[in-house]
Amino acid sequence: MVELKSDASIEAMREAGRVVARALAATREAAAPGVSLRELDRVARAVLTGAGAGSPFLGYRPAWAPTPFPAVVCTSVNDAIVHGIPDGYRLRDGDLVSVDCGAALDGWTGDAAVSFTVGRGRPEDERLIDAAEKALAAGIAAAVVGNRVGDIAHAVGQVCRRAGYGIPDGMGGHGVGRSMHEDPAVPNEGRAGRGMPLRHGMVLAIEPMLIAGGSDESRTAGDGWTIRSADGTRAAHAEHTIAVTASGPRILTAL
């Protein structure tokens, strides 16, 4: 069931979204050669704690997961698409990093992700990240009252495919509200004009994921969480939580 949020609830979700934005910005600023993924998690934790926010990621255990998630951010490096666990790996010059973060504040949740390169980035990685961000922007632009979920999916998918990138099978966005994952599902590829109608008060996480090699196939790593590209090529992930409103889409996880 899809819950339509009141304008007051959307304002409250904006506050949670601001915390997410600050955590992602701080994590990105801290990322440098030699810094461990655990250190990035500590940076994000400090931002959440300072804002009086909790983490919807920490301790999260969906039915398919072998263990509860042990961190407040997902850190996915190079061929990792999503759900990477922050560990002792130290970032290297040229790494492509995707950081996904959520915050729970006053009963409401925000969720967003950003991808970036560490040190001297490769031009092909910058193009991949740029395509992810353009796909996200296209999806957000399609999130207007009167459109359908399929219009968002179509907009995202068109950008990814035209750039020659793969779209991981079965992965996409979702509703956001009192919990991190709510209805409806928001695929990263689909047919325009299909799916649930978009109404004022719907809050959605739109999150394109792109695989550089063009394949849609992925695999789960031995930790049971990290999803990697099956062909070993690099991946990028971009995400915002947005509200569908009568005056247009509103990004809730921007700085």
Side-chain angles (χ1 to χ4, degrees):
M1 183 179 73
V2 174
E3 176 193 1
L4 298 179
K5 279 70 176 179
S6 67
D7 291 347
S9 295
I10 290 172
E11 288 299 327
M13 293 190 72
R14 174 66 176 128
E15 295 307 310
R18 283 193 176 97
V19 177
V20 173
R22 292 199 298 270
L24 287 175
T27 304
R28 181 172 186 166
E29 184 176 358
V35 174
S36 75
L37 300 181
R38 285 198 188 98
E39 290 175 86
L40 297 186
D41 183 65
R42 286 197 288 270
V43 168
R45 286 178 191 243
V47 174
L48 297 185
T49 300
S55 169
F57 288 21
L58 184 63
Y60 178 61
R61 188 179 185 182
W64 50 263
T67 57
F69 195 77
V72 305
V73 291
C74 299
T75 50
S76 304
V77 180
N78 296 332
D79 67 323
I81 305 166
V82 286
H83 302 162
I85 296 175
D87 57 15
Y89 176 83
R90 294 192 176 275
L91 294 171
R92 301 170 184 172
D93 192 55
D95 277 346
L96 194 166
V97 184
S98 298
V99 180
D100 194 350
C101 182
L105 184 67
D106 297 329
W108 296 102
T109 306
D111 184 14
V114 64
S115 293
F116 54 86
T117 55
V118 176
R120 292 168 294 182
R122 307 189 306 187
E124 58 266 36
D125 291 340
E126 298 297 344
R127 288 194 293 271
L128 179 66
I129 293 167
D130 182 64
E133 293 174 348
K134 286 179 177 175
L136 175 59
I140 293 171
V144 298
V145 173
N147 272 0
R148 292 177 177 267
V149 169
D151 292 301
I152 299 175
H154 180 73
V156 169
Q158 286 288 96
V159 174
C160 300
R161 296 302 188 191
R162 285 173 178 166
Y165 298 124
I167 300 171
D169 288 328
M171 300 183 197
H174 48 87
V176 184
R178 293 286 183 181
S179 63
M180 179 170 56
H181 292 134
E182 296 184 354
D183 291 333
V186 184
N188 284 328
E189 191 168 35
R191 295 181 63 181
R194 298 295 184 91
M196 180 177 292
L198 302 179
R199 299 170 60 191
H200 178 90
M202 292 176 71
V203 177
L204 310 171
I206 301 173
E207 49 178 323
M209 304 164 202
L210 285 65
I211 299 174
S215 170
D216 296 349
E217 296 183 6
S218 62
R219 63 179 180 86
T220 302
D223 61 19
W225 274 98
T226 307
I227 307 297
R228 298 186 178 277
S229 64
D231 61 8
T233 61
R234 294 188 171 194
H237 179 200
E239 177 184 16
H240 270 308
T241 297
I242 66 102
V244 178
T245 77
S247 57
R250 182 181 179 191
I251 300 174
L252 304 182
T253 45
L255 280 174

